[in-house]
Amino acid sequence: MKIGFSTLALFMKSFEDFLDMATADGFQLVEILCEGPYWPRNILTQGEGLEVFSSYDVDVFLHAPTIDLNPASLNPGIREETMRQINETLELASIIGAKAITTHPGMIHRLEDRVREMGKYFAIETLKEANNYAEDLGVILSVENMPGRYAYFCNTAPEHSYFLEQCGCHGTVDLGHANTTNHPDSFLELERIYYYHLSDNNGNKDQHRALGEGTLDLNLINGIERGIIELNNYEDVLKSRNLLLQLAK
């Protein structure tokens, strides 16, 4: 398995810092969380420092902005801005040679079946259009599963599979999110999964604990080709990396 980490653990450091630490600590992958100072629109406008990515032998993924955005929003203005920011993330990925970007499938804020069905329709239409643009750019669009809550889309393996089929995109399986459902193993059976987010929790809440510190069945990780450790601090990233290396022996 190729192992990497999310820059969530190193928030506010530079691209060069991310890549230096990945190289020094033997990681093959990095996923850049495109929030705050790493907002794609700002980076694209500045257009500086992006040549650094060609100097490292590390596969780069991007996680599109999701804070305050929602492809399933009933508000067309929010959907349009969400689409714009996904597309900008795809453009940034194309420029720096990133392999894929991950985005969220959206959620609803009024917990009614009729609202959820409407939101599902809007989410799929938004993500389908984004995937068309991704294909034009030669970048993989990967939609992530969400925790086991009614408000979230892709909170079950069948719904995640449905989104991927309808949108024509790839998928990111977050095993921490999957662990909050009754059937985390079902997400491993999905087709078109490009990579995985790895973290642990108590089985009820998405806590981003180090691997081995929760209830996640670590046997689920066997056979995964690409895994991004997604934790809040780098010490836990290294602890989880070491556990993965032990499991692989």
Side-chain angles (χ1 to χ4, degrees):
M1 174 174 58
K2 287 187 175 182
I3 303 173
F5 62 87
S6 165
T7 61
L8 172 66
L10 297 171
F11 201 69
M12 300 303 291
K13 290 188 177 294
S14 68
F15 291 143
E16 189 169 6
D17 287 336
F18 298 152
L19 296 166
D20 279 343
M21 295 181 77
T23 300
D25 291 323
F27 289 101
Q28 297 88 22
L29 316 171
V30 167
E31 182 186 70
I32 297 173
L33 180 61
C34 295
E35 304 280 5
Y38 318 107
W39 188 40
R41 189 176 304 167
N42 187 46
I43 294 170
L44 290 168
T45 300
Q46 293 178 347
E48 298 177 356
L50 299 183
E51 66 280 354
V52 68
F53 290 96
S54 64
S55 302
Y56 292 82
D57 187 22
V58 177
D59 289 345
V60 177
F61 304 145
L62 302 180
H63 195 305
T66 59
I67 295 174
D68 299 325
L69 301 173
N70 186 5
S73 177
L74 274 59
N75 184 319
I78 299 299
R79 293 199 307 275
E80 290 168 7
E81 181 58 27
T82 302
M83 169 74 75
R84 182 182 179 190
Q85 296 204 27
I86 293 174
N87 287 347
E88 288 168 344
T89 309
L90 290 166
E91 291 165 5
L92 177 60
S94 178
I95 290 170
I96 67 174
K99 303 292 185 180
I101 81 160
T102 286
T103 194
H104 290 180
M107 63 182 299
I108 56 169
H109 297 281
R110 188 179 182 91
L111 305 183
E112 298 180 19
D113 288 349
R114 58 180 178 172
V115 175
R116 199 175 192 281
E117 285 303 309
M118 186 179 299
K120 182 188 293 186
Y121 171 81
F122 287 140
I124 288 172
E125 289 301 301
T126 302
L127 295 170
K128 184 187 299 183
E129 187 175 339
N131 188 63
N132 289 338
Y133 190 51
E135 291 179 347
D136 289 343
L137 293 175
V139 177
I140 290 173
L141 176 68
S142 195
V143 174
E144 183 177 357
N145 66 305
M146 291 287 103
R149 301 289 184 270
Y150 179 82
Y152 292 120
F153 292 109
C154 299
N155 59 8
T156 66
E159 187 167 79
H160 195 194
S161 178
Y162 179 76
F163 264 65
L164 303 188
E165 178 184 345
Q166 293 298 308
C167 300
C169 59
H170 286 72
T172 299
V173 167
D174 186 308
L175 284 179
H177 292 171
N179 196 50
T180 67
T181 73
N182 292 325
H183 305 285
D185 55 323
S186 62
F187 288 89
L188 297 174
E189 300 171 5
L190 301 182
E191 298 179 356
R192 295 177 64 81
I193 301 304
Y194 193 69
Y195 68 108
Y196 293 78
H197 285 166
L198 307 177
S199 67
D200 214 332
N201 57 55
N202 62 6
N204 295 312
K205 186 177 180 181
D206 184 31
Q207 297 172 307
H208 290 270
R209 291 183 183 177
L211 293 175
E213 295 185 358
T215 64
L216 178 67
D217 180 2
L218 299 180
N219 290 319
L220 296 178
I221 299 173
N222 291 336
I224 287 176
E225 186 175 350
R226 305 177 189 89
I228 294 289
I229 301 168
E230 190 180 42
L231 301 173
N232 293 311
N233 70 77
Y234 196 65
E235 181 179 339
D236 282 346
V237 167
L238 293 176
K239 185 187 302 183
S240 297
R241 188 274 313 272
N242 292 340
L243 178 59
L244 290 174
L245 294 177
Q246 291 174 8
L247 292 173
K249 291 181 179 179

